[in-house]
Amino acid sequence: MRRIWWIVLGVVVLLVVGLAAWAVPLLAQGRADVPARRLVVATPAAPGDWRVTSDELRAVPELTGLDERWSRVWERPDGADVQQAALRFSSPLWAARAFGGDDPAQQQAEFFDAVDELPVEPDTGADEAAVFCGREFARGDGCASWFVWLRYGQYVISLTADDLADDAPDDRLPGWLADTVAEADRAVTGALR
């Protein structure tokens, strides 16, 4: 009986140590507390005449631990659009959970034939970054829409953009999207200092 007690105690200790080893580094990534609206850029860096078509604060949290979500949508006269959302979670733990479990591949799967994570590392100050390509096979094998998912401590930044006819290979962002990601990164890192 004592042997079982020691085994159970050992398993509990290992679980607590493992959880602490995962949680403590994430908690150390906490950033300054700023309103989500301050993390959204004024205009995308993509070429064209962009106008804001939607600017909103969603009052009802959609994800566990989500405190605030602000989104902005821009549109060009040709109908192309770019969207940015800034999500502020109560802690980096909740943001990391959302980043890993509610990413664009999950959110957009019903709207595309495939949503693939691409081997692209955007040059940002984010703690985590991922790039996804929404494919519509009737339009060819390129990206119909791009999704960039960035996590800065307790914040998740989502950029969604229609493909603007740039034939970038799957291992790099099109130039206009790389510029838009860089602009968003400057806005976020500047606000969180």
PDB file of all heavy atoms in Angstrom, residues 58 77 93 127 141 147 152 156 162-163:
ATOM      1  N   ARG A  58     -15.694  44.056 -30.133  1.00  0.00           N
ATOM      2  CA  ARG A  58     -16.687  43.024 -29.827  1.00  0.00           C
ATOM      3  C   ARG A  58     -16.739  42.877 -28.314  1.00  0.00           C
ATOM      4  O   ARG A  58     -15.755  42.545 -27.679  1.00  0.00           O
ATOM      5  CB  ARG A  58     -16.310  41.705 -30.474  1.00  0.00           C
ATOM      6  CG  ARG A  58     -16.419  41.802 -31.973  1.00  0.00           C
ATOM      7  CD  ARG A  58     -16.633  40.454 -32.573  1.00  0.00           C
ATOM      8  NE  ARG A  58     -16.717  40.590 -34.015  1.00  0.00           N
ATOM      9  CZ  ARG A  58     -16.308  39.660 -34.837  1.00  0.00           C
ATOM     10  NH1 ARG A  58     -15.806  38.547 -34.393  1.00  0.00           N
ATOM     11  NH2 ARG A  58     -16.416  39.839 -36.137  1.00  0.00           N
ATOM     12  N   PRO A  77     -11.119  49.697 -53.923  1.00  0.00           N
ATOM     13  CA  PRO A  77     -12.217  49.787 -54.899  1.00  0.00           C
ATOM     14  C   PRO A  77     -12.435  48.501 -55.705  1.00  0.00           C
ATOM     15  O   PRO A  77     -13.553  48.216 -56.123  1.00  0.00           O
ATOM     16  CB  PRO A  77     -11.793  50.938 -55.809  1.00  0.00           C
ATOM     17  CG  PRO A  77     -10.938  51.801 -54.937  1.00  0.00           C
ATOM     18  CD  PRO A  77     -10.200  50.839 -54.042  1.00  0.00           C
ATOM     19  N   LEU A  93      -0.949  32.671 -20.876  1.00  0.00           N
ATOM     20  CA  LEU A  93      -1.374  31.268 -20.927  1.00  0.00           C
ATOM     21  C   LEU A  93      -2.614  31.111 -21.806  1.00  0.00           C
ATOM     22  O   LEU A  93      -2.686  30.207 -22.640  1.00  0.00           O
ATOM     23  CB  LEU A  93      -1.663  30.732 -19.524  1.00  0.00           C
ATOM     24  CG  LEU A  93      -0.473  30.627 -18.580  1.00  0.00           C
ATOM     25  CD1 LEU A  93      -0.936  30.252 -17.182  1.00  0.00           C
ATOM     26  CD2 LEU A  93       0.529  29.623 -19.099  1.00  0.00           C
ATOM     27  N   ASP A 127       6.232  36.479 -29.910  1.00  0.00           N
ATOM     28  CA  ASP A 127       6.672  35.278 -29.201  1.00  0.00           C
ATOM     29  C   ASP A 127       6.403  34.029 -30.027  1.00  0.00           C
ATOM     30  O   ASP A 127       7.140  33.052 -29.939  1.00  0.00           O
ATOM     31  CB  ASP A 127       5.961  35.174 -27.842  1.00  0.00           C
ATOM     32  CG  ASP A 127       6.320  36.335 -26.926  1.00  0.00           C
ATOM     33  OD1 ASP A 127       7.521  36.657 -26.813  1.00  0.00           O
ATOM     34  OD2 ASP A 127       5.398  36.936 -26.346  1.00  0.00           O
ATOM     35  N   ASP A 141      -3.545  26.537 -57.576  1.00  0.00           N
ATOM     36  CA  ASP A 141      -2.976  26.005 -56.345  1.00  0.00           C
ATOM     37  C   ASP A 141      -2.366  27.078 -55.444  1.00  0.00           C
ATOM     38  O   ASP A 141      -1.785  26.774 -54.416  1.00  0.00           O
ATOM     39  CB  ASP A 141      -1.947  24.917 -56.649  1.00  0.00           C
ATOM     40  CG  ASP A 141      -0.758  25.442 -57.445  1.00  0.00           C
ATOM     41  OD1 ASP A 141      -0.801  26.601 -57.892  1.00  0.00           O
ATOM     42  OD2 ASP A 141       0.207  24.683 -57.613  1.00  0.00           O
ATOM     43  N   PHE A 147      -3.418  34.218 -44.067  1.00  0.00           N
ATOM     44  CA  PHE A 147      -3.727  34.412 -42.648  1.00  0.00           C
ATOM     45  C   PHE A 147      -2.410  34.423 -41.882  1.00  0.00           C
ATOM     46  O   PHE A 147      -1.639  33.472 -41.969  1.00  0.00           O
ATOM     47  CB  PHE A 147      -4.612  33.283 -42.116  1.00  0.00           C
ATOM     48  CG  PHE A 147      -5.848  33.076 -42.942  1.00  0.00           C
ATOM     49  CD1 PHE A 147      -5.888  32.091 -43.922  1.00  0.00           C
ATOM     50  CD2 PHE A 147      -6.963  33.868 -42.754  1.00  0.00           C
ATOM     51  CE1 PHE A 147      -7.016  31.897 -44.695  1.00  0.00           C
ATOM     52  CE2 PHE A 147      -8.099  33.690 -43.524  1.00  0.00           C
ATOM     53  CZ  PHE A 147      -8.133  32.699 -44.492  1.00  0.00           C
ATOM     54  N   TYR A 152       1.979  37.979 -28.991  1.00  0.00           N
ATOM     55  CA  TYR A 152       2.883  38.818 -28.198  1.00  0.00           C
ATOM     56  C   TYR A 152       2.389  38.724 -26.759  1.00  0.00           C
ATOM     57  O   TYR A 152       1.434  39.412 -26.384  1.00  0.00           O
ATOM     58  CB  TYR A 152       2.802  40.279 -28.638  1.00  0.00           C
ATOM     59  CG  TYR A 152       3.150  40.551 -30.080  1.00  0.00           C
ATOM     60  CD1 TYR A 152       2.226  40.340 -31.092  1.00  0.00           C
ATOM     61  CD2 TYR A 152       4.412  41.033 -30.426  1.00  0.00           C
ATOM     62  CE1 TYR A 152       2.531  40.599 -32.416  1.00  0.00           C
ATOM     63  CE2 TYR A 152       4.730  41.298 -31.746  1.00  0.00           C
ATOM     64  CZ  TYR A 152       3.793  41.075 -32.732  1.00  0.00           C
ATOM     65  OH  TYR A 152       4.099  41.341 -34.052  1.00  0.00           O
ATOM     66  N   VAL A 156      -2.973  38.346 -29.147  1.00  0.00           N
ATOM     67  CA  VAL A 156      -2.899  37.631 -30.418  1.00  0.00           C
ATOM     68  C   VAL A 156      -3.340  38.605 -31.497  1.00  0.00           C
ATOM     69  O   VAL A 156      -4.382  39.258 -31.370  1.00  0.00           O
ATOM     70  CB  VAL A 156      -3.785  36.369 -30.427  1.00  0.00           C
ATOM     71  CG1 VAL A 156      -3.817  35.743 -31.820  1.00  0.00           C
ATOM     72  CG2 VAL A 156      -3.280  35.348 -29.412  1.00  0.00           C
ATOM     73  N   ASP A 162      -6.934  39.051 -48.715  1.00  0.00           N
ATOM     74  CA  ASP A 162      -7.150  38.410 -50.009  1.00  0.00           C
ATOM     75  C   ASP A 162      -5.817  38.389 -50.744  1.00  0.00           C
ATOM     76  O   ASP A 162      -4.964  39.254 -50.534  1.00  0.00           O
ATOM     77  CB  ASP A 162      -8.138  39.226 -50.863  1.00  0.00           C
ATOM     78  CG  ASP A 162      -9.551  39.193 -50.312  1.00  0.00           C
ATOM     79  OD1 ASP A 162      -9.883  38.273 -49.550  1.00  0.00           O
ATOM     80  OD2 ASP A 162     -10.323  40.101 -50.654  1.00  0.00           O
ATOM     81  N   ASP A 163      -5.642  37.408 -51.606  1.00  0.00           N
ATOM     82  CA  ASP A 163      -4.442  37.402 -52.432  1.00  0.00           C
ATOM     83  C   ASP A 163      -4.525  38.564 -53.411  1.00  0.00           C
ATOM     84  O   ASP A 163      -5.544  38.767 -54.072  1.00  0.00           O
ATOM     85  CB  ASP A 163      -4.320  36.088 -53.197  1.00  0.00           C
ATOM     86  CG  ASP A 163      -3.055  36.059 -54.019  1.00  0.00           C
ATOM     87  OD1 ASP A 163      -1.989  36.330 -53.454  1.00  0.00           O
ATOM     88  OD2 ASP A 163      -3.146  35.794 -55.224  1.00  0.00           O
TER      89      ASP A 163
END
